[in-house]
Amino acid sequence: MRRMIRIISVLALGLLTLVAGQAQQTQVEVEQILMDTPSPERARQWLFSLTEEPHVAGTPAQYKVVEFVRDRFKEFGLETEMVKYDVFLNYPKSVSLRMIQPREETLSLVEEVYSKDKDSTPEGQFPAFHGYGASGRAVGQIVYVNYGAPSDFDRLKDLGISVQGRVVLVRYGGAFRGLKVKEAQDRGAAGVLIYSDPEDDGYMRGDIYPDGPWRAASAIQRGSVQFLSTQPGDPSTPGYPSTAAARRLSRNQMETLPKIPSLPIAYAEAEKLLRSLGGPRVPDAWQGGLAFAYHVGPGPAAVELDVQMDEAIRPIYNVIATIPGSVEPDRWVILGNHTDAWTPGAIDPNSGTAVLIETARSLSAALKAGWRPRRTILLCGWDAEEYGLVGSTEWAEDRAAELQAKAVAYVNLDAAVSGNEFGSSGVPSLRDLMRQVAAKVPEPRRSGAIAVSWERRLKEAWASSAPVTVDGAEQTFELQLGRLGSGSDYTAFLDNLGIPSLDFGFGGANGPYHSVYDNFFWMSRFGDPEFLFHQAAARLYGLLAWRLSSDKITPLRFSNYGGALMEDINAIRTDVIRRARMAEGQAFKPDFSSIVAAIREFDTAGHEVDRVADRLASSDNNATIARFNDALMQVERAFLNNEGLPRRPWFRHQLIAPGLTTGYAPWPFPGLREAVEKRDRAMFDAEAKKVVAAIKAGTEKLRAAK
Amino acid sequence: MRRMIRIISVLALGLLTLVAGQAQQTQVEVEQILMDTPSPERARQWLFSLTEEPHVAGTPAQYKVVEFVRDRFKEFGLETEMVKYDVFLNYPKSVSLRMIQPREETLSLVEEVYSKDKDSTPEGQFPAFHGYGASGRAVGQIVYVNYGAPSDFDRLKDLGISVQGRVVLVRYGGAFRGLKVKEAQDRGAAGVLIYSDPEDDGYMRGDIYPDGPWRAASAIQRGSVQFLSTQPGDPSTPGYPSTAAARRLSRNQMETLPKIPSLPIAYAEAEKLLRSLGGPRVPDAWQGGLAFAYHVGPGPAAVELDVQMDEAIRPIYNVIATIPGSVEPDRWVILGNHTDAWTPGAIDPNSGTAVLIETARSLSAALKAGWRPRRTILLCGWDAEEYGLVGSTEWAEDRAAELQAKAVAYVNLDAAVSGNEFGSSGVPSLRDLMRQVAAKVPEPRRSGAIAVSWERRLKEAWASSAPVTVDGAEQTFELQLGRLGSGSDYTAFLDNLGIPSLDFGFGGANGPYHSVYDNFFWMSRFGDPEFLFHQAAARLYGLLAWRLSSDKITPLRFSNYGGALMEDINAIRTDVIRRARMAEGQAFKPDFSSIVAAIREFDTAGHEVDRVADRLASSDNNATIARFNDALMQVERAFLNNEGLPRRPWFRHQLIAPGLTTGYAPWPFPGLREAVEKRDRAMFDAEAKKVVAAIKAGTEKLRAAK
């Protein structure tokens, strides 16, 4: 019944496209299709199929998953291609870990099987290893170094303990795991073990698998140890695409990969080592959730770890469906989610892939009802994300010029559902769009729209943490998107190419992260048993694709961008003031005035251009609109600098990057932040010039739009 | 050799007291004696004797300890008396605790014996019980309610769980234990178990006894469950002294004692109950340090607890030594520390008692060298502090009129040494004195004076937590004493009588608090193996006694008092603004302007009076000086109001009190704070009037001094 009304309406539209009232009617209809089509049951079916086997990049199992996605897109009537790259990948040939002091014991590198959960078997599954980890053998005493951050290693040094020639035991959390290995390697360690502490995602957070969603004692967090914040993508072709004919670096030449061996381990195994450490008691913040007082070591616990990798150039496949634009076909709106997984990967990434497929089905339904997007939509399944954003990076490098000319926005998914809490990160110019779309979709478990509970949660965090001044005017809360760091496929689009990017998802008790328990049993029991959040994510994704592709005026809005930049720069200024408090005479006091002035100008221009956008909304002059849209698209590009960031030229965006020492977490104004960390005034001044130039270039683009 | 120089100097002094240069010389000499006399070895001896047995108030063992203190004072040549009161005390006649669901098991109420530590034996020791706990039997399912704060019980209610007729299991920490029992009782619980969670003072903090200083799995925190924030002292004589002839309330009439039974238990026992709880997983902040995910219950764990008390009126003994003043004998400087202990009590209180004895020896040495204090010094050992500050409160009530007329200051010790971190709380008018004295005494383990590391530690905490504003002027750090809450013997002096009070000590890993492991073995192994911090504490105590008793101008300084009050009122204003952030239209916005204005006036008068003090320092007009000193002494008295605080009239100080729901932690501006918590505008306005009147009365006293 509902379907029939749609067809009638679309027929009417065919006759009356120039009548504004009717165009409005169509918009309501398209929105309704994109709201009505996504189905929990379909998402459940897609997820069930996608998670049938572990599907690591480059394996036959992953090829089957890519084909499955391609076949769905085709089945929905979308023009779809597979894009192959040949990239460097490693698999474990043999891995072993033995405690040799104070007693001999072989430590487990596989997970416990739970009879309720058929997918918890290690069968068809690699044992514990690190993507891009080095081959090697290390024998040495254990030293515990908390999260393995540079500040943790500094603290260890203050305690008079060296990691030289020893095996560093660190816990997951904080920085991207590859940067833990990098820091240990730079400080002379012989090897690294990274374990999951129960404080961080085990029983201290809630009931553990299979009784609850949190990490079981035997669960192992696999993952890549690439030095992600220096450069992602295939390490054999840094900065250029991994086509068949590409020139390759040898393993030894790959500077973004570790030289020392590392392994991920479960807390059941780590406990045996930690309980056997002497030396000083750890600094308070290093204590984790195991039921004894942690010590730093070194020793007496000692281990032998032996890792031999099977390294080769292997084929990977991105799958890309295209929905051509009717008015601006050379303007692209890109949606993407990766397809490869370390394990069955029900959360990561297949909740996202299931949502991507369901979104494709939903857009296809709108197409069948007569809708044609103004701009071209690309739906992308990226391969080998888990190794280092490889599929998306190689494609972005391959198509760089075209993307810079054509891409309006990139919207990423990855692990779309691990719980019920909506969150979104992105460039500030996409904040209004995300909020509008989230206001359309009902929250599955609460009354009201997703936007309502999202805003309430962020406002509560703000209310309890934002400083209060008794004499000044009370600050008001402004909803902002999180800033994008790295760890997913938006990285090349935003940081290398300056394409406005957005990421969202429903987070929660992601205890099984990168373990075999990230599987269909977990999702259907704990994560999203009714698949209502998958449905909600597909609604959001479809509405975002629709608005970005079909709004006459591209929905990039700039009134909020200056304010967001001011928040970011003030966070750095606050940090500088705080550090100066204990520095007495030697305080580092850089000059922020030129940056603040540049942001103010950008802010003014942003407000003006949004007023122009409001005016143009009623225009029918396609040439004027296209010029305006192009200018909006170019603002983010203006923030790039071809020199890139200090010692990481691939990262060209001057206003945002993954933290050099965090990987995952963003550093707004990355050059300034690095200079502040190093207390380097000359570097600060040089980076400030680049930042001011970038902001001014953005301001020029805004002014050009008017 | 050093001693001989002193005698010569004192002889010279006898001839030349009117020569200013020589008077200066004497001061330097007295200071030297008070620095040189305290000896680590003597402190060690005193502690060894004091901790020979557990010595609970009213027992023969405690009488021996009081005699020991008296005999030392007498041995040093000090005029000493024992002051007896007859007070209500309880001992356990029989206590038992049995888990009855999901299995039958008797839970232990005694601690494990460690062969290395002869004092860890339960022999001569009461089993686990609560001072002033009720007799009774309770059978019911367990419900876990975190720290048992009112907000915890509210949260439980939000989860839809009632404690009615059930046995509440709460952890130690936060509020005074009696207030946990009160809250559970008010909400209908049948009984209460309070356990020590390893997150709070067990292995999550460091190595546990006997390998380290922190709480062992079987250690039990005894203690009083009086409703301390309503009224301390003997509950059979509320507000008046427990003399032999005093009229007595019956047990049922004692409104500050619980009616439902309670017991303290160890985490080894609590774990058995917690592991057997179903129901919802706890809110995140309720998770403790045991190695599983906590649940709220109710049940299936259920217990039977049976507590039968032996209650009676029993004799207690304060011991008081007097050093008469030479110029202002009717002005008293009071030093006090309690003598009773739940167990051997090496930290609590005997580190303080050892320091008090060593201070007495040191003052005695100065007396022998010819020094005579200008004002009278009283050295007091209080009995039955552990039950509810009973000895000090009864004495203060007994001597109230005289104390209000004569007491210049009260300096408290209690658990003087449990580690190395110096801390001090007190009225702001004693801040300068404490800082000056701490600048004289070397830190035993670091270079520099105690004042240096004290200030650095506080400044570091300020630097990392105080808000930063990027546009305003950076705040500067101002060292402040902590505010006095309750939980020790300063309470009657400050809160009931308005006597300027001070408390200090060296804190640290106080894991054995109120357990049998708080004994000499612990102190000599972990707390202060060389007794250097005992020595430092005796130096500080001696110097404080000397300055307060002998400075011509009483060392009460007021330039800082207004600033401290402003900090306190701003903390409440900040809290109001923060709460208003989520309240939308219904924000509670009381008017602070009259209070702020009153503080500003007080601040101005404080600065002026300090300038007068500086001028008078060179005066020899004893009458003028005495008038000035009397005015200074009266400022704190002016903050009292005979109505007292809402529903707790014994607490008469309008600017400071123990928190109604915290007991230990202070509430500055307690009436205002309570009104803010209740969002009661009428109450706020009424309390604001009382506060303004109190501050104005203080300002009048300051002006009278000029």
Side-chain angles (χ1 to χ4, degrees):
Chain A
M1 186 61 187
R2 192 182 280 273
R3 185 63 179 273
M4 201 181 302
I5 291 173
R6 261 178 229 143
I7 291 166
I8 293 165
S9 163
V10 166
L11 289 174
L13 164 76
L15 304 169
L16 295 162
T17 38
L18 296 179
V19 180
Q22 283 300 59
Q24 193 70 27
Q25 173 72 20
T26 313
Q27 287 205 4
V28 171
E29 282 303 310
V30 173
E31 186 179 312
Q32 202 60 47
I33 294 169
L34 299 175
M35 288 294 289
D36 289 350
T37 309
S39 122
E41 187 44 40
R42 290 292 188 102
R44 189 178 195 284
Q45 286 168 17
W46 309 139
L47 192 74
F48 186 80
S49 300
L50 292 164
T51 58
E52 205 172 327
E53 295 175 279
H55 46 107
V56 175
T59 64
Q62 165 61 0
Y63 189 75
K64 275 169 62 185
V65 164
V66 174
E67 281 185 319
F68 180 85
V69 176
R70 181 199 59 190
D71 292 349
R72 296 293 77 65
F73 287 173
K74 287 194 166 175
E75 186 180 301
F76 304 147
L78 306 180
E79 188 192 314
T80 306
E81 56 172 342
M82 269 163 76
V83 182
K84 173 172 174 282
Y85 295 98
D86 298 302
V87 304
F88 179 81
L89 297 176
N90 69 322
Y91 305 140
K93 196 153 52 189
S94 72
V95 291
S96 76
L97 177 62
R98 268 193 331 125
M99 172 152 67
I100 55 175
Q101 288 291 342
R103 61 182 192 278
E104 296 248 2
E105 181 175 345
T106 299
L107 301 183
S108 174
L109 296 173
V110 296
E111 283 130 327
E112 205 177 313
V113 180
Y114 297 110
S115 54
K116 305 185 206 176
D117 172 9
K118 72 153 187 68
D119 294 329
S120 65
T121 167
E123 219 171 292
Q125 173 65 51
F126 292 123
F129 82 112
H130 276 141
Y132 290 151
S135 292
R137 182 173 164 274
V139 181
Q141 281 189 317
I142 294 286
V143 182
Y144 172 67
V145 204
N146 195 29
Y147 291 109
S151 57
D152 293 325
F153 282 96
D154 290 345
R155 187 72 191 268
L156 188 79
K157 205 175 157 190
D158 293 344
L159 292 171
I161 296 168
S162 163
V163 299
Q164 189 70 42
R166 293 182 169 132
V167 176
V168 157
L169 175 65
V170 296
R171 50 173 164 161
Y172 274 111
F176 183 76
R177 69 185 81 67
L179 304 181
K180 298 170 192 269
V181 178
K182 179 176 192 298
E183 201 62 35
Q185 174 178 301
D186 290 351
R187 308 225 181 198
V192 181
L193 300 173
I194 315 182
Y195 81 103
S196 303
D197 194 282
E199 182 184 17
D200 299 305
D201 59 5
Y203 51 73
M204 302 292 275
R205 305 293 300 279
D207 291 318
I208 62 173
Y209 200 76
D211 299 321
W214 291 98
R215 186 174 294 274
S218 77
I220 297 165
Q221 183 190 132
R222 290 150 191 80
S224 170
V225 288
Q226 188 181 43
F227 304 160
L228 186 70
S229 59
T230 304
Q231 185 157 354
D234 179 359
S236 77
T237 64
Y240 54 93
S242 295
T243 50
R247 163 179 54 91
R248 303 283 170 169
L249 300 187
S250 70
R251 175 63 173 83
N252 275 336
Q253 292 171 314
M254 297 176 194
E255 290 185 0
T256 56
L257 304 195
K259 310 280 189 219
I260 60 171
S262 64
L263 281 176
I265 60 173
Y267 61 83
E269 306 308 301
E271 177 163 1
K272 297 169 188 169
L273 300 172
L274 281 164
R275 276 195 190 269
S276 304
L277 287 183
R281 196 241 157 188
V282 295
D284 285 347
W286 294 23
Q287 174 73 36
L290 295 166
F292 52 89
Y294 290 20
H295 286 247
V296 171
V303 295
E304 177 186 328
L305 89 131
D306 194 345
V307 180
Q308 298 307 321
M309 293 296 186
D310 170 11
E311 296 169 334
I313 303 294
R314 298 185 158 105
I316 62 167
Y317 302 88
N318 296 327
V319 54
I320 299 181
T322 305
I323 303 173
S326 57
V327 181
E328 303 177 37
D330 280 349
R331 291 296 170 265
W332 294 357
V333 171
I334 307 164
L335 278 64
N337 187 95
H338 71 95
T339 55
D340 64 307
W342 287 121
T343 63
I347 303 167
D348 184 7
N350 294 300
S351 60
T353 309
V355 168
L356 179 66
I357 295 173
E358 203 46 13
T359 304
R361 197 172 69 81
S362 168
L363 294 172
S364 167
L367 289 168
K368 284 172 191 157
W371 167 67
R372 293 294 171 269
R374 185 180 177 96
R375 302 174 197 96
T376 296
I377 299 173
L378 305 185
L379 302 174
C380 310
W382 309 119
D383 204 350
E385 187 265 4
E386 291 294 2
Y387 276 85
L389 326 177
V390 178
S392 60
T393 301
E394 297 313 309
W395 187 77
E397 289 173 351
D398 199 10
R399 312 288 290 270
E402 198 174 7
L403 283 165
Q404 287 215 289
K406 296 181 177 175
V408 171
Y410 173 70
V411 187
N412 191 63
L413 277 190
D414 182 358
V417 182
S418 64
N420 301 356
E421 293 292 358
F422 179 77
S424 178
S425 294
V427 295
S429 51
L430 286 167
R431 194 246 350 220
D432 288 359
L433 174 66
M434 187 73 245
R435 184 148 64 168
Q436 288 156 13
V437 163
K440 296 281 187 188
V441 179
E443 220 281 348
R445 296 207 184 281
R446 290 173 252 194
S447 66
I450 286 166
V452 175
S453 40
W454 178 33
E455 183 147 0
R456 187 187 306 119
R457 191 167 58 82
L458 293 181
K459 187 171 179 187
E460 276 168 1
W462 167 85
S464 67
S465 70
V468 171
T469 46
V470 291
D471 297 316
E474 168 62 346
Q475 300 168 47
T476 52
F477 169 72
E478 181 72 36
L479 181 133
Q480 297 288 4
L481 300 179
R483 306 291 183 266
L484 290 165
S486 186
S488 197
D489 290 308
Y490 50 77
T491 309
F493 298 98
L494 176 63
D495 296 326
N496 187 250
L497 298 177
I499 297 165
S501 297
L502 185 65
D503 183 270
F504 70 92
F506 294 92
N510 195 351
Y513 180 61
H514 286 190
S515 77
V516 296
Y517 310 124
D518 180 3
N519 60 36
F520 189 79
F521 178 87
W522 185 94
M523 183 63 81
S524 54
R525 194 165 178 120
F526 304 114
D528 190 15
E530 299 167 287
F531 286 78
L532 293 173
F533 291 90
H534 284 74
Q535 179 187 43
R539 286 171 167 168
L540 292 167
Y541 215 18
L543 294 177
L544 288 166
W546 167 58
R547 291 280 314 273
L548 283 164
S549 67
S550 302
D551 276 15
K552 205 160 51 177
I553 307 297
T554 313
L556 294 167
R557 290 294 172 272
F558 292 88
S559 293
N560 175 53
Y561 210 128
L565 292 178
M566 201 64 93
E567 276 187 19
D568 289 342
I569 202 72
N570 282 344
I572 295 182
R573 293 166 78 190
T574 298
D575 184 44
V576 164
I577 293 170
R578 203 175 279 292
R579 287 166 190 250
R581 283 177 168 171
M582 292 306 293
E584 309 290 342
Q586 301 119 54
F588 176 70
K589 290 190 175 165
D591 179 6
F592 287 89
S593 58
S594 62
I595 304 163
V596 169
I599 293 173
R600 292 223 171 96
E601 278 184 33
F602 183 85
D603 187 51
T604 304
H607 281 86
E608 283 167 12
V609 90
D610 280 5
R611 282 193 291 271
V612 177
D614 293 342
R615 274 205 311 275
L616 280 181
S618 55
S619 163
D620 286 315
N621 184 331
N622 274 336
T624 306
I625 289 167
R627 255 198 322 276
F628 184 77
N629 283 342
D630 283 359
L632 297 189
M633 177 177 79
Q634 288 298 328
V635 176
E636 200 74 28
R637 307 280 199 281
F639 297 148
L640 302 184
N641 174 325
N642 277 330
E643 283 175 46
L645 297 176
R647 291 174 324 291
R648 40 179 184 159
W650 187 89
F651 284 94
R652 298 195 293 165
H653 204 298
Q654 297 299 302
L655 311 189
I656 192 73
L660 187 63
T661 55
T662 64
Y664 291 126
W667 275 6
F669 298 105
L672 302 179
R673 172 70 185 265
E674 193 176 340
V676 167
E677 302 250 326
K678 292 180 171 156
R679 300 171 56 88
D680 183 334
R681 181 65 194 253
M683 182 182 184
F684 185 93
D685 292 343
E687 293 300 311
K689 279 209 184 77
K690 289 160 67 183
V691 163
V692 168
I695 298 172
K696 279 185 189 294
T699 306
E700 286 314 306
K701 292 292 174 194
L702 288 173
R703 287 179 180 156
K706 290 185 294 182
Chain B
M1 187 62 191
R2 190 183 282 273
R3 184 62 180 274
M4 202 180 302
I5 292 175
R6 261 180 228 142
I7 290 164
I8 292 166
S9 162
V10 167
L11 288 174
L13 164 75
L15 302 169
L16 296 162
T17 38
L18 296 179
V19 181
Q22 283 301 60
Q24 193 69 26
Q25 175 72 19
T26 313
Q27 287 205 2
V28 171
E29 281 303 311
V30 174
E31 186 177 313
Q32 202 60 48
I33 294 168
L34 299 175
M35 288 294 290
D36 290 349
T37 308
S39 125
E41 188 42 44
R42 290 294 187 102
R44 190 178 194 285
Q45 287 169 17
W46 309 139
L47 193 74
F48 187 81
S49 300
L50 292 164
T51 58
E52 206 172 324
E53 296 176 278
H55 46 105
V56 175
T59 64
Q62 166 61 357
Y63 189 75
K64 275 168 64 185
V65 165
V66 174
E67 282 186 319
F68 180 86
V69 176
R70 181 199 59 191
D71 292 349
R72 296 292 78 65
F73 286 174
K74 287 194 165 175
E75 185 180 301
F76 304 147
L78 305 180
E79 188 192 316
T80 306
E81 56 171 342
M82 270 162 77
V83 183
K84 173 172 174 284
Y85 295 99
D86 298 302
V87 303
F88 179 80
L89 297 176
N90 68 322
Y91 303 140
K93 199 154 47 189
S94 73
V95 290
S96 76
L97 177 63
R98 267 191 333 124
M99 170 152 68
I100 54 174
Q101 287 292 341
R103 60 181 192 278
E104 294 248 2
E105 181 174 345
T106 298
L107 301 183
S108 173
L109 295 173
V110 298
E111 281 128 329
E112 206 178 312
V113 179
Y114 296 110
S115 55
K116 306 184 204 179
D117 173 7
K118 71 153 188 66
D119 294 328
S120 65
T121 167
E123 219 171 293
Q125 173 65 50
F126 291 122
F129 82 111
H130 277 142
Y132 290 151
S135 293
R137 181 173 166 274
V139 181
Q141 282 189 316
I142 294 285
V143 182
Y144 171 66
V145 202
N146 196 31
Y147 291 109
S151 58
D152 294 326
F153 282 96
D154 289 346
R155 188 73 190 268
L156 188 79
K157 204 175 157 192
D158 292 344
L159 292 171
I161 295 168
S162 163
V163 299
Q164 190 70 41
R166 294 184 168 129
V167 176
V168 157
L169 175 66
V170 295
R171 50 173 165 162
Y172 275 112
F176 182 77
R177 67 185 82 68
L179 303 182
K180 298 171 192 267
V181 177
K182 178 175 192 299
E183 200 62 35
Q185 174 179 302
D186 289 350
R187 306 221 183 201
V192 182
L193 300 173
I194 315 183
Y195 81 103
S196 303
D197 194 282
E199 182 184 19
D200 299 306
D201 59 4
Y203 52 72
M204 301 292 274
R205 306 292 301 277
D207 290 319
I208 62 172
Y209 201 78
D211 299 322
W214 291 99
R215 185 174 295 272
S218 76
I220 296 164
Q221 184 192 133
R222 291 150 192 79
S224 170
V225 287
Q226 189 182 43
F227 304 160
L228 185 68
S229 59
T230 304
Q231 183 157 353
D234 178 0
S236 77
T237 62
Y240 54 94
S242 296
T243 50
R247 163 179 55 90
R248 304 282 170 170
L249 300 188
S250 70
R251 176 62 174 84
N252 275 337
Q253 291 171 314
M254 298 176 192
E255 290 185 0
T256 57
L257 304 196
K259 311 279 187 221
I260 60 171
S262 64
L263 281 176
I265 61 173
Y267 62 82
E269 307 309 302
E271 178 164 1
K272 297 170 189 169
L273 300 172
L274 281 164
R275 276 196 190 267
S276 304
L277 287 183
R281 195 240 157 190
V282 294
D284 285 348
W286 294 23
Q287 174 73 36
L290 296 166
F292 53 89
Y294 291 20
H295 286 247
V296 171
V303 296
E304 176 186 329
L305 89 130
D306 193 347
V307 179
Q308 298 306 323
M309 294 296 187
D310 170 13
E311 297 168 333
I313 302 294
R314 298 185 158 105
I316 63 167
Y317 302 88
N318 296 328
V319 54
I320 298 180
T322 306
I323 304 174
S326 58
V327 180
E328 303 176 37
D330 280 348
R331 291 295 169 266
W332 293 358
V333 171
I334 308 164
L335 277 63
N337 187 94
H338 73 95
T339 54
D340 63 310
W342 288 121
T343 64
I347 302 167
D348 183 7
N350 293 299
S351 60
T353 309
V355 168
L356 178 66
I357 294 173
E358 206 41 17
T359 303
R361 196 172 71 81
S362 170
L363 295 171
S364 166
L367 289 167
K368 283 171 190 155
W371 166 66
R372 293 293 171 269
R374 185 179 177 95
R375 303 175 194 94
T376 296
I377 299 173
L378 306 185
L379 302 175
C380 310
W382 310 118
D383 204 351
E385 187 265 4
E386 292 293 2
Y387 276 84
L389 325 177
V390 178
S392 61
T393 301
E394 297 313 309
W395 188 77
E397 289 173 350
D398 200 10
R399 312 289 290 268
E402 196 173 8
L403 283 165
Q404 286 215 291
K406 296 181 176 174
V408 170
Y410 173 69
V411 187
N412 191 63
L413 276 189
D414 181 359
V417 183
S418 64
N420 301 355
E421 294 292 359
F422 179 77
S424 178
S425 295
V427 294
S429 52
L430 286 167
R431 193 242 358 216
D432 287 359
L433 174 66
M434 187 73 244
R435 183 147 66 168
Q436 288 156 14
V437 163
K440 297 280 187 187
V441 179
E443 220 282 349
R445 298 206 183 281
R446 291 172 251 195
S447 67
I450 285 165
V452 175
S453 40
W454 177 34
E455 184 146 1
R456 187 186 307 117
R457 191 167 57 82
L458 293 182
K459 189 172 177 186
E460 276 168 2
W462 167 84
S464 67
S465 71
V468 171
T469 46
V470 291
D471 297 316
E474 169 62 346
Q475 301 168 45
T476 52
F477 169 72
E478 180 72 36
L479 181 133
Q480 296 287 5
L481 301 178
R483 306 291 183 266
L484 290 165
S486 186
S488 196
D489 290 308
Y490 49 76
T491 309
F493 297 99
L494 177 62
D495 296 324
N496 187 250
L497 299 177
I499 297 165
S501 296
L502 185 66
D503 182 271
F504 71 93
F506 294 94
N510 194 352
Y513 179 61
H514 286 190
S515 79
V516 295
Y517 310 123
D518 180 3
N519 60 37
F520 189 79
F521 179 87
W522 186 94
M523 183 63 80
S524 54
R525 195 164 177 122
F526 305 113
D528 190 13
E530 300 166 288
F531 286 79
L532 293 173
F533 291 89
H534 284 76
Q535 179 188 43
R539 286 170 167 169
L540 292 167
Y541 216 18
L543 294 176
L544 287 167
W546 168 57
R547 290 282 311 275
L548 282 164
S549 67
S550 301
D551 276 14
K552 205 160 53 177
I553 307 297
T554 313
L556 294 167
R557 290 294 172 273
F558 292 89
S559 294
N560 175 54
Y561 212 129
L565 292 178
M566 201 64 92
E567 278 187 20
D568 289 342
I569 201 73
N570 282 344
I572 295 181
R573 293 167 78 190
T574 298
D575 183 45
V576 164
I577 294 169
R578 204 175 278 291
R579 287 166 189 250
R581 283 177 168 172
M582 292 306 292
E584 308 291 341
Q586 302 120 51
F588 176 70
K589 289 188 176 167
D591 180 6
F592 287 90
S593 59
S594 62
I595 304 163
V596 169
I599 294 173
R600 292 221 170 96
E601 279 185 32
F602 182 84
D603 188 51
T604 304
H607 281 87
E608 283 168 11
V609 90
D610 280 5
R611 283 194 290 273
V612 177
D614 292 343
R615 274 207 310 278
L616 279 181
S618 55
S619 161
D620 284 317
N621 184 331
N622 273 338
T624 306
I625 290 168
R627 253 199 323 277
F628 184 77
N629 282 343
D630 283 359
L632 297 191
M633 178 177 80
Q634 288 299 327
V635 176
E636 200 73 28
R637 307 279 199 283
F639 297 147
L640 302 183
N641 174 325
N642 278 331
E643 283 174 46
L645 297 176
R647 290 176 322 292
R648 40 179 184 160
W650 187 89
F651 285 95
R652 297 195 294 165
H653 203 299
Q654 296 300 303
L655 311 189
I656 191 73
L660 187 63
T661 55
T662 65
Y664 289 127
W667 275 5
F669 299 106
L672 301 179
R673 172 71 184 265
E674 194 176 339
V676 167
E677 303 250 327
K678 292 180 171 156
R679 300 171 58 88
D680 183 335
R681 181 65 196 252
M683 182 183 185
F684 185 93
D685 292 343
E687 293 301 310
K689 280 209 183 78
K690 288 161 68 183
V691 163
V692 168
I695 299 172
K696 279 185 190 292
T699 305
E700 286 314 307
K701 292 292 173 193
L702 287 173
R703 287 180 179 154
K706 290 185 296 184

